[in-house]
Amino acid sequence: MDREIVVDIHGSCVSRDVFRNQNALKVGKYIGRCSIISTQYPKIMDAFYDNSANNSTWEKRMLTIDFSKTIFEELKKSHGDYIMIDLIDEIFELIKIKVGDTESAVTYSQVLRRSDFQEQLHMQEIELINTRRFENSKIIDAIRNYADEIKQIYRPEQIIINEAYPVKFFYDKHGKICEFDQERQMNVKRNFYKLKLYYSLLENELWGCYIIRMPPDIRADELHQWGIATTHFETKFYTNVYEKVLHIISQRESDEQFTRVNIQKSRHNGVQRDNYLGGADITKSNNIVVFGAQDYFKENISKLDTRIRISYIFPDGIYNKELEKEYKIVTSISELKKIQNVFVLIAKGRAADVERIADQLRTAGIPFDHLEMYVKSNINIRYLKAMNYYDYTDIDNNHFIIAPSSSERISISRLNCKNAYVEIGYNAVQTKLVIQLLGNNAYCTIGENGSFVDTVINVNTDGAVEIGDECMFSHSIYLAQSDQHYIFDANSRKRLNYPKKIKIGNHVWVGREVELLGGAEIGDNSIVGARSTTSGKFPKNVIIAGCPAKVIKENIIWARDVQKNSNYNTFDEVTDQSALKYL
């Protein structure tokens, strides 16, 4: 890493302690003692200051954030390169707070208990809110709202969930494994199921984030710097998490460097042939090896493109000896290297296996691809990423460039097409983004930092679809740049419906169930209203709606901020200021 990397934290010391005593990564904003459920309650006051001498300056500041509900504003100010989230503080219950007409709640952490909040707020009694008794719908809504706010600040690949849990066992000062007392063990058990639910819900809402699972053999440690507790773990826990974080960041930083440099070069200077290229060179080889001869091989080998003839099998495990009658068997990388003009097709279904084999072959200097690219019409994003092929050309000279952080919910279908070109930058995909290439010379490009819920794009022969940066597509959207069948003039018998380009500018919001047809052009900063249909051309900064669509409002800009979580009156208040770049 050639720059300072900043990691924000929303969680507990379980995550903060990962970054102590190291210099490679910098902790930006660290927010703790403020549960996800608490963030969903109304603001109590602009500032609460603990006047007691029981809490540190940081702890007092956390109380202010919890009372003022400014956690997301604080994270926006920092906006580190990454954020690490753990849910250990969800083990705390909430307490009801009423100030004036405002009824709210705060996290009943040990920090709050040590403060003088009861005296300041004149609270004689404390009323607990047992979050374990919440209806599932209330928990789901809270976590969904929290995830929506986090996604306004960080992209999925900037989010790391440190999935940690309290433990039942600890090492005493002599290194002996001991059990916590019965009461704490019962708390660990209750909190485990609660946190398991919360983590699963959060990971579903933050699809595409990185997840670090807690190994099953982790213990607490009596010699921990903060003392004995069910969440004060042994040193190897923090070392393990830190190494995984470094690996995630190192891999992504190298991927991002590729995205910024190599893909930009391909846009302006033609394709850059480097280690990220894969594909069509198989046609130059007459010694093709299938790597793997188990279930995936059996299910797919009969579907192999007829232009490909297999000469060798590298079993990589138990295989049917009958294969020896039809193929030559090789069992080591060194044997592969001795084969002249060799090319390997990986026949494994698990992405982890594909990545392992690809690394071995790349190190040995042996060209390779995945069998699926020659037996199915879909381009499997998962396998391209496992092979580090982000600039890929298939056997029919269809060329695909994808960002390394591309969502695996993108589906690209090649249906009897040649010489197609598809380029996709990083975009968040909630349900699916389907690109169907239905003819030769099809062309489709999608810019960076957009979002898609559910969109289908059809591109026919000689057709083109261009989508700019930072667009937002809702659900059930359909783009078709030409008809699927021919239309002719009855008198002249000449064709009427030639393909027309669809062009969507930057920062365009496309509403639900919209259909954009050949010839449609939408200018920057514009909005296409729900259920609109059009093949027309429209300028920037307008709202169009209807069937056929027409301009219903001019001179507008829009922001991604979610209305249910805010009540802004001016554009200057919103977080998403992207529109200003395209005025």
Side-chain angles (χ1 to χ4, degrees), residues 162-182:
N162 183 15
E163 191 176 317
Y165 300 88
V167 295
K168 294 181 180 180
F169 299 91
F170 67 95
Y171 289 107
D172 68 11
K173 61 183 66 175
H174 305 294
K176 180 182 176 182
I177 297 178
C178 305
E179 289 184 309
F180 282 105
D181 60 57
Q182 199 65 32

Side-chain angles (χ1 to χ4, degrees), residues 566-583:
S566 56
N567 186 26
Y568 301 136
N569 295 309
T570 68
F571 183 81
D572 293 336
E573 297 176 85
V574 301
T575 302
D576 175 21
Q577 298 283 315
S578 302
L580 300 178
K581 293 187 286 187
Y582 308 111
L583 286 176

Side-chain angles (χ1 to χ4, degrees), residues 160-278:
I160 302 171
I161 296 179
N162 183 15
E163 191 176 317
Y165 300 88
V167 295
K168 294 181 180 180
F169 299 91
F170 67 95
Y171 289 107
D172 68 11
K173 61 183 66 175
H174 305 294
K176 180 182 176 182
I177 297 178
C178 305
E179 289 184 309
F180 282 105
D181 60 57
Q182 199 65 32
E183 181 181 354
R184 281 200 272 192
Q185 286 202 49
M186 288 300 297
N187 283 334
V188 167
K189 184 177 180 180
R190 285 194 295 266
N191 285 320
F192 175 82
Y193 292 110
K194 176 182 180 181
L195 296 184
K196 192 72 175 174
L197 170 64
Y198 283 25
Y199 277 122
S200 62
L201 291 172
L202 184 62
E203 289 163 11
N204 182 65
E205 293 299 325
L206 296 177
W207 194 92
C209 70
Y210 296 101
I211 301 167
I212 299 177
R213 310 284 187 195
M214 185 175 184
D217 60 343
I218 294 298
R219 315 283 189 234
D221 192 343
E222 190 173 6
L223 297 178
H224 190 282
Q225 62 181 326
W226 308 122
I228 184 69
T230 59
T231 55
H232 292 169
F233 305 126
E234 59 185 304
T235 301
K236 79 171 185 179
F237 168 82
Y238 305 103
T239 302
N240 176 269
V241 174
Y242 180 65
E243 289 175 351
K244 289 182 177 178
V245 171
L246 270 185
H247 176 75
I248 288 168
I249 293 176
S250 297
Q251 184 64 48
R252 180 173 176 264
E253 289 297 306
S254 64
D255 288 348
E256 287 295 310
Q257 180 66 19
F258 170 73
T259 303
R260 289 191 294 268
V261 178
N262 291 300
I263 289 184
Q264 289 300 324
K265 286 181 181 178
S266 74
R267 285 176 173 168
H268 303 296
N269 303 321
V271 178
Q272 302 299 303
R273 300 280 170 174
D274 56 21
N275 290 335
Y276 291 92
L277 179 90

Side-chain angles (χ1 to χ4, degrees), residues 416 437-442 459-464 481-482 486 495 499:
N416 301 316
L437 307 174
L438 304 174
N440 296 336
N441 308 311
V459 192
N460 272 309
T461 299
D462 298 323
Q481 54 70 225
S482 77
Y486 291 101
R495 182 178 173 183

